[in-house]
């Protein structure tokens, strides 16, 4: 009892006297299985640390790969068998699969339809448990309990076997996994009695498209705590007993053990993108003395520490689950690509070295999906609660710029994987500067951002914005009907998405213009500000829509504002007409305030019937023809626009409705019904909305501020090391009392929260009621 009392006192000191112990254990609310019916390869990786390299998870169909490089693959709520446990899960990166079995040796995974045809096993969700940093499941066909956890660069597998003379562990190395693409080469080797090392080199679909000939390399060094009784290699379905090394596509190795009942075998696997030697170094540095249980506790503590930076009190248990699961996803994506010694994969395939700052590398390098849309979720969240990661991310992007000459929107091992053919990295850099996050080479960052907005000569395909030259010359990007869908992001005189590109380039030009002004670059500022008005060239005042123009400068005909893909990427004119975040006031004036409010309110009224997106259709693009599609990036700011048109109550109403109805807590109804949750973006949106803070301009204004919404909780505390806490409180808050009556910031009435005030710490007090304040 004395020991328990001491622990309780310590927890109260750490987390505050008003926080219950259950609330201090934030991973209690993290449910990774939410929304996994149609999840991208990188979405479901419970056994990982925040922003880690080692991302372990079960795979139900990862071996299937995917044709285009973006389709949902890896783990699906509706599947009933597991084929193995891959160690790498990142955008365009995947592989190094371990799989335990008992009985006759099989060296191929089999299929969902024919489980017995491979080493996969059936499982039940009731025998599965997942949270931040840990995963476990019972493999029914083998009576094996599989457990996974991880440090930053080291994966831990623990397999508990039944009594058997034929307990196997399959190391399936030379096959594609998830978004990894075809295998170019592989190697696996039994180095000594209990260490296996090797690599796999893949050619992902997006790398082939944006940087032809480049590859993604993954390396590993795995140590087992038990010596096998037998071993062998295989190529696809052909095993060869007693051999210690095999090379080439399809390569793998198996170990066979004699196990007693409930005997556990643990594997620690160091991972790297640079070399086997560095995989070994990562393993020894991070985990040489760690047991599985100690690693699990260490990672649990790290997750709780990261999640603790935003603590919420009050509200429903369901809302807390959505909130912390969303925060988990926001902190899971865009993981480490550099080693403990600062080695990192360069764009040209060689190995780079990050300089040291004292006894550690000055920054980390990261893999990352495109930053498309992330200024309405991730970068805002990073700036509010994780500024050190935001700075690291920028330094990582600048490594690629220094190595290859252009910023990358998405990168996989520093290889360009633009994905959507745009590039908002310069905008994200400018926003960080505005937010006071400046511990990077500011002059180099400005050079890179300016080049990204204004230069087309010599532009690499993977840098995106290949039509930026046309935009700079004409003020808009002409609509050019696509000839080949595989090339539509690679045209230079315009684009199949000319209208949406014009809107996007206008926004990013505005952002970098503010960066230029802050640095005294007057000529650049004036040029960029002129370009930021490009959206006006496509505004059709007669229809009150953004409308594509052809190469002759004429509005296209016929014109259907509901038609997706015709001038607009992953959306339509109904959705994209509101994509003027930097000039919202001018857009409202152009449309007319009454028309603007009525149109936008009716859009949400109608869209509510389809769950604010694609209804219950399980597909990433289900909502592209709708009036509003919360399941995709171009729409994520629209519900907050009423703050600029005199109806903040409608923002409060519709943001709450989206939080309650679009977001769910089930495997199928999670982020909509199988929508496109790109490395934590939709989760981060929920977090920002749940706090009642959002910036339509994505922190790009010279003195950025957050618009105030309707928080889901009675109290929100933002705790960032080195900063005074910022506390948001609500009085009389409930599911019915969703309307803000008054907002008091540090004792004074306020309509918004300047970012500078938030980082200084203080209080925002909101009074709530069931009817709008007019």
């Amino acid at each position: 009892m004395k020991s328990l009392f001491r622990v309780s006192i310590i927890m109260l000191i750490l987390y505050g006297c008003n926080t219950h112990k259950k609330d201090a254990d934030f991973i209690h609310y993290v449910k990774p299985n939410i929304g996994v019916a149609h999840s991208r390869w990188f979405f479901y990786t419970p056994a990982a640390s925040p922003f880690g390299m080692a991302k372990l998870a079960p795979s139900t169909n990862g071996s299937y790969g995917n044709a285009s490089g973006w389709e949902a693959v890896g783990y699906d709520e509706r599947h009933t068998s597991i084929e193995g446990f891959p160690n790498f899960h990142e955008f365009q990166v995947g592989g190094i699969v371990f799989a335990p079995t008992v009985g006759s040796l099989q060296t191929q995974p089999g299929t969902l339809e024919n489980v017995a045809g491979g080493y996969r096993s059936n499982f039940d969700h009731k025998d599965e448990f997942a949270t931040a940093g840990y995963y476990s499941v019972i493999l029914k066909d083998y009576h094996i309990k599989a457990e996974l956890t991880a440090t930053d660069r080291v994966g831990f597998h623990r397999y508990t076997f039944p009594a058997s003379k034929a307990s196997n562990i399959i190391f399936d190395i030379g096959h594609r996994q998830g978004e990894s693409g075809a295998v170019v080469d592989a190697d696996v080797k039994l180095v000594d009695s209990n260490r296996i090392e090797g690599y796999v080199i893949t050619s992902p679909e997006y790398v082939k498209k944006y940087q032809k000939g480049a590859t993604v390399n993954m390396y590993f060094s795995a140590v087992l705590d038990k010596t096998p009784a037998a071993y062998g290699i295989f190529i696809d379905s052909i095993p060869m007993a007693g051999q210690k090394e095999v090379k080439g596509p399809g390569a793998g190795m198996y170990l066979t053990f004699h196990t007693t009942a409930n005997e556990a075998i643990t594997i620690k696997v160091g991972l790297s993108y640079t070399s086997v030697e560095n995989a070994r170094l990562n393993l020894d540095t991070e985990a040489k003395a760690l047991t599985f249980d100690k690693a699990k506790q260490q990672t649990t503590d790290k997750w709780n520490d990261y999640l603790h930076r935003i603590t919420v009190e009050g509200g429903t248990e369901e809302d807390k689950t959505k909130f912390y699961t969303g925060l988990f996803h926001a902190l899971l994506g865009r993981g480490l690509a550099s080693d403990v010694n600062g080695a990192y994969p360069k764009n040209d395939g060689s190995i780079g070295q990050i300089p040291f700052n004292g006894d550690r590398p000055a920054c980390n390098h990261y893999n990352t999906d495109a930053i498309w849309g992330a200024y309405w979720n991730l970068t805002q969240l990073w700036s509010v609660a994780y500024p050190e990661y935001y700075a690291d991310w920028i330094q990582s992007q600048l490594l690629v710029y220094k190595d290859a000459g252009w910023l990358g929107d998405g990168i996989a091992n520093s290889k360009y994987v633009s994905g959507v053919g745009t590039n908002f990295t310069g905008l994200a850099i400018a926003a960080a500067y505005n937010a006071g996050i400046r511990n990077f080479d500011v002059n180099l960052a400005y050079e890179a951002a300016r080049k990204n907005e204004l230069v087309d000569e010599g532009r690499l395909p993977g840098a995106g914005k290949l039509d930026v030259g046309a935009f700079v010359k004409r003020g808009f990007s002409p609509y050019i009907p696509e000839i080949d869908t595989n090339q539509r992001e690679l045209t230079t005189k315009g684009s199949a998405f000319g209208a949406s590109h014009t809107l996007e380039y206008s926004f990013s030009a505005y952002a970098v213009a503010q960066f230029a002004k802050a640095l005294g670059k007057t000529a650049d500022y004036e040029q960029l500000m002129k370009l930021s008005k490009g959206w006006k060239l496509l505004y059709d005042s007669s229809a009150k829509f953004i409308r594509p123009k052809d190469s002759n400068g004429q509005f296209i005909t016929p014109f259907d504002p509901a038609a997706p893909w015709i001038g607009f990427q992953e959306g339509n004119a109904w959705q994209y007409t509101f994509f003027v975040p930097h000039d919202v006031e001018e857009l409202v004036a152009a449309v007319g305030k009454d028309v603007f409010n009525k149109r936008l309110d009716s859009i949400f009224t109608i869209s509510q019937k389809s769950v604010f997106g694609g209804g219950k259709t399980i597909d990433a693009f289900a909502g592209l023809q709708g009036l509003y599609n919360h399941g995709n990036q171009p729409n994520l700011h629209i519900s907050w626009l009423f703050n600029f048109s005199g109806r903040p109550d409608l923002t409060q109403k519709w943001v709450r409705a989206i939080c309650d109805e679009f977001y769910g807590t089930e495997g199928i109804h999670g982020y909509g019904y199988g929508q496109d949750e790109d490395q934590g973006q939709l989760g981060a949106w929920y977090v920002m909305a749940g706090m009642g803070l959002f910036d339509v301009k994505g922190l790009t204004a010279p003195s950025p501020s957050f618009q105030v919404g309707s928080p889901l909780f009675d109290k929100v505390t933002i705790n960032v090391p080195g900063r005074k806490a910022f506390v948001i409180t609500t009085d009389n808050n409930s599911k019915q009392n969703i309307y803000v009556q008054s907002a008091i910031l540090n004792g004074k009435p306020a309509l918004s929260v300047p970012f500078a005030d938030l980082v200084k710490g203080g209080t925002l007090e909101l009074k709530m009621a069931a009817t709008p304040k007019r």
Side-chain angles (χ1 to χ4, degrees):
M1 288 297 292
K2 289 181 179 179
S3 175
L4 179 60
F5 178 74
R6 285 197 297 270
V7 170
S8 298
I9 292 296
I10 291 170
M11 295 302 288
L12 286 171
I13 292 171
L14 286 175
Y15 295 110
C17 295
N18 294 325
T19 304
H20 297 296
K21 184 176 185 298
K22 178 181 177 182
D23 293 330
D25 181 20
F26 298 99
I27 68 169
H28 167 81
Y29 295 107
V30 175
K31 308 297 182 186
N33 284 62
I34 291 173
V36 292
H38 182 86
S39 60
R40 293 281 294 279
W41 170 247
F42 45 69
F43 178 80
Y44 188 71
T45 58
S49 65
F51 305 121
M53 176 188 294
K55 294 182 176 177
L56 282 58
S59 172
T60 61
N61 66 343
S63 64
Y64 286 39
N66 55 34
S68 304
W70 63 266
E71 297 94 342
V73 68
Y75 182 91
D76 192 313
E77 166 79 10
R78 298 163 294 178
H79 295 164
T80 57
S81 64
I82 289 171
E83 61 182 16
F85 303 98
N87 291 276
F88 284 106
H89 286 81
E90 206 70 79
F91 180 55
Q92 302 299 290
V93 180
I96 315 295
V97 179
F98 301 167
T101 70
V102 173
S104 300
L105 179 69
Q106 296 190 82
T107 59
Q108 291 186 299
T111 65
L112 293 164
E113 297 77 18
N114 182 20
V115 176
Y119 56 69
R120 69 170 57 236
S121 171
N122 289 291
F123 78 105
D124 286 332
H125 286 298
K126 66 180 179 61
D127 296 325
E128 185 180 47
F129 177 78
T131 189
Y134 175 75
Y135 174 85
S136 69
V137 70
I138 301 296
L139 302 178
K140 290 172 60 179
D141 298 349
Y142 304 121
H143 304 288
I144 293 172
K145 181 178 182 179
E147 298 174 273
L148 310 173
T149 192
T151 62
D152 286 347
R153 300 172 179 87
V154 179
F156 284 73
H157 301 243
R158 183 163 66 189
Y159 303 136
T160 302
F161 289 90
S164 175
K165 296 290 186 181
S167 293
N168 310 301
I169 300 179
I170 311 299
F171 294 79
D172 195 340
I173 309 303
H175 292 99
R176 69 187 299 161
Q177 271 289 312
E179 294 180 356
S180 71
V183 172
V184 176
D185 194 14
D187 178 83
V188 57
K189 180 180 182 180
L190 183 63
V191 178
D192 53 37
S193 61
N194 66 340
R195 183 186 289 268
I196 294 178
E197 296 181 332
Y199 62 81
V200 60
I201 301 173
T202 66
S203 178
E205 297 304 318
Y206 276 37
V207 174
K208 287 194 294 186
K209 180 174 183 176
Y210 291 105
Q211 194 170 340
K212 190 175 182 179
T215 58
V216 167
N217 298 7
M218 293 161 273
Y219 302 87
F220 75 98
S221 178
V223 175
L224 298 93
D225 64 356
K226 183 179 176 70
T227 300
Y231 55 83
I233 60 171
F234 60 86
I235 293 286
D236 295 326
S237 63
I238 304 173
M240 290 157 271
Q243 298 189 37
K244 292 187 174 183
E245 184 174 13
V246 62
K247 294 185 177 183
M253 175 164 283
Y254 66 88
L255 305 179
T256 300
F257 302 85
H258 298 163
T259 57
T260 57
N262 297 317
E263 181 178 357
I265 298 175
T266 298
I267 309 170
K268 294 191 285 190
V269 54
L271 304 172
S272 173
Y273 294 114
T274 63
S275 68
V276 169
E277 292 74 21
N278 279 333
R280 196 181 306 138
L281 177 65
N282 290 339
L283 172 58
D284 290 343
T285 303
E286 290 188 0
K288 188 173 185 178
L290 285 183
T291 63
F292 184 98
D293 290 328
K294 287 182 178 179
K296 176 187 173 186
Q297 186 60 54
Q298 177 179 294
T299 302
T300 295
D301 292 344
K302 187 170 184 177
W303 272 112
N304 274 325
D305 180 60
Y306 271 68
L307 297 173
H308 168 254
R309 293 203 186 180
I310 307 177
T311 62
V312 299
E313 301 173 43
T316 68
E317 291 291 294
E318 184 178 82
D319 288 343
K320 287 181 179 177
T321 295
K322 293 179 187 179
F323 186 91
Y324 283 111
T325 301
L327 186 54
F328 163 75
H329 283 298
L331 301 177
L332 187 64
R334 302 164 198 272
L336 281 166
S338 55
D339 300 315
V340 293
N341 62 358
Y344 74 96
K346 293 179 68 174
N347 177 270
D348 65 2
S350 64
I351 306 305
Q353 178 61 51
I354 298 169
F356 270 59
N357 182 8
D359 61 352
R360 63 181 60 191
C363 68
N364 292 308
H365 190 42
Y366 298 92
N367 285 311
T368 169
D369 195 355
I371 205 71
W372 196 56
Y375 32 78
W376 289 322
N377 37 66
L378 287 176
T379 59
Q380 294 191 43
L381 178 59
W382 297 343
S383 67
V384 165
Y386 308 95
E388 76 281 12
Y389 176 79
Y390 200 169
D392 236 22
W393 178 86
I394 290 172
Q395 292 183 77
S396 176
Q397 297 291 325
L398 293 178
L399 286 175
V400 177
Y401 177 75
K402 286 189 289 186
D403 292 341
W406 298 89
L407 290 172
D409 197 30
I411 51 175
N413 284 14
S414 295
K415 310 304 187 297
Y416 291 116
V417 285
S418 177
V420 290
T422 62
N423 192 324
F424 280 101
T425 305
L427 180 150
I429 292 172
Y433 183 88
N434 286 344
I437 299 169
R438 300 174 183 178
N439 46 330
F440 50 84
D441 186 333
V442 171
N443 290 329
L444 181 68
Y446 177 74
E447 173 191 307
R450 179 192 183 279
K451 187 176 183 181
N452 194 44
E453 298 305 315
L454 298 176
V455 179
D456 64 329
E457 184 177 356
R459 197 173 189 99
L460 301 177
K465 300 181 74 161
L466 293 190
D467 56 334
V468 74
F471 172 74
V472 171
K473 180 180 178 180
R474 307 181 64 159
F476 72 97
S477 177
Y479 168 64
I480 299 178
E482 62 186 70
I483 299 173
D484 181 349
T485 56
N486 292 321
Q487 299 297 311
R488 61 190 179 190
E489 291 93 356
L490 303 177
T491 53
T492 59
K493 295 181 180 180
S495 172
F497 310 130
S500 59
H501 282 191
T502 298
L503 299 172
E504 292 170 333
Y505 301 171
S506 297
F507 182 27
S508 57
Y510 169 85
V512 179
Q514 312 319 307
F515 196 8
K517 185 177 183 180
L519 298 179
K521 312 285 188 181
T522 304
D524 288 351
Y525 169 74
E526 292 174 351
Q527 181 183 12
L528 289 162
M529 281 302 292
K530 182 178 179 181
L531 290 171
S532 76
K533 304 298 182 180
W535 67 272
K536 293 185 176 182
L537 300 177
L538 299 189
Y539 181 71
D540 181 353
S541 58
S542 63
K544 298 187 183 300
F545 280 109
I546 295 293
R547 184 172 174 178
K549 281 185 176 179
D550 60 24
S551 298
N552 295 319
Q554 302 299 312
F555 285 125
I556 65 168
T557 54
F559 171 60
D560 177 3
W565 302 109
I566 301 176
F568 301 96
Q569 185 155 34
E570 299 183 22
N572 58 41
W574 278 102
Q575 298 168 9
Y576 266 103
T577 292
F578 297 101
F579 197 117
V580 191
H582 59 296
D583 263 350
V584 185
E585 297 88 349
E586 290 194 36
L587 177 66
V588 172
V591 175
K593 185 179 291 187
D594 290 341
V595 174
F596 184 94
N597 285 329
K598 289 177 181 178
R599 177 190 283 188
L600 193 53
D601 188 40
S602 64
I603 282 173
F604 285 110
T605 300
I606 295 168
S607 298
Q608 189 173 29
K609 299 174 184 177
S610 60
V611 202
F612 298 106
K616 296 186 178 181
T617 301
I618 301 177
D619 182 89
F621 289 155
L624 297 198
Q625 287 183 291
L627 301 177
Y628 175 80
N629 181 21
H630 195 80
N632 213 356
Q633 288 87 339
N635 292 201
L636 296 182
H637 67 302
I638 295 176
S639 56
W640 294 84
L641 293 180
F642 295 106
N643 282 317
F644 296 87
S645 60
R647 292 297 306 274
D649 59 298
L650 292 177
T651 280
Q652 295 153 25
K653 172 185 176 179
W654 290 118
V655 169
R656 278 280 193 121
I658 292 167
C659 288
D660 289 343
E661 298 170 32
F662 177 85
Y663 291 86
T665 57
E666 302 166 357
I668 292 177
H669 181 196
Y671 296 86
Y673 285 81
Q675 302 295 340
D676 200 8
E677 163 65 324
D678 284 343
Q679 289 199 316
Q681 288 200 38
L682 292 177
W685 190 96
Y686 186 95
V687 171
M688 296 303 299
M691 293 192 291
L693 299 175
F694 191 88
D695 183 19
V696 165
K697 300 185 180 185
L699 306 178
T700 62
S703 299
S705 62
F706 292 106
Q707 295 85 61
V708 174
S710 177
L712 296 170
F713 306 99
D714 298 339
K715 185 177 182 181
V716 178
T717 305
I718 301 171
N719 309 283
V720 178
R723 290 183 185 172
K724 183 182 176 183
F726 187 81
V727 181
I728 303 166
T729 61
T730 59
D731 179 38
N732 198 34
N733 195 13
S734 70
K735 288 295 183 183
Q736 292 73 40
N737 298 340
I738 65 174
Y739 296 106
V740 177
Q741 305 299 295
S742 67
I744 305 297
L745 176 63
N746 295 328
K748 297 180 180 179
L751 298 176
S752 62
V753 179
F755 186 86
D757 287 353
L758 184 145
V759 298
K760 289 176 185 175
T763 59
L764 174 65
E765 302 167 82
L766 304 176
K767 291 187 180 296
M768 313 297 291
T771 57
K773 180 183 179 183
R774 298 292 177 85

